[in-house]
Amino acid sequence: MTAIEQYLVDTYRASQHGTPMPPPPGRDDVAVLRAVRTYEQFRAVLDGAPASHPWRSALHRLVTRHPTA
């Protein structure tokens, strides 16, 4: 059963029993990703490393690199 199907079953049961509706699947995904990012930045600072991600710094270097002609 997919998450959408389970959500529809739970919504139907909630309407039949008069209980609050469940949250839709995926509603808090962005908040969870932000919390993980914040936690990893916090851990980096405690370990004495920069709070930015290494891949982000590498991508910035590639984008801002000026080709020599």
Side-chain angles (χ1 to χ4, degrees):
M1 183 178 294
T2 65
I4 296 295
E5 292 169 341
Q6 184 64 48
Y7 172 70
L8 293 174
V9 169
D10 292 342
T11 302
Y12 175 75
R13 287 183 187 156
S15 67
Q16 296 297 313
H17 297 303
T19 58
M21 296 289 177
R27 182 184 74 177
D28 298 324
D29 289 353
V30 174
V32 169
L33 292 175
R34 285 184 182 146
V36 169
R37 181 187 64 194
T38 303
Y39 178 75
E40 289 300 322
Q41 289 174 339
F42 172 72
R43 293 296 306 165
V45 169
L46 290 181
D47 293 339
S52 64
H53 294 282
W55 61 267
R56 189 177 296 159
S57 298
L59 180 63
H60 179 71
R61 285 192 307 270
L62 286 174
V63 170
T64 59
R65 182 183 300 172
H66 299 287
T68 56

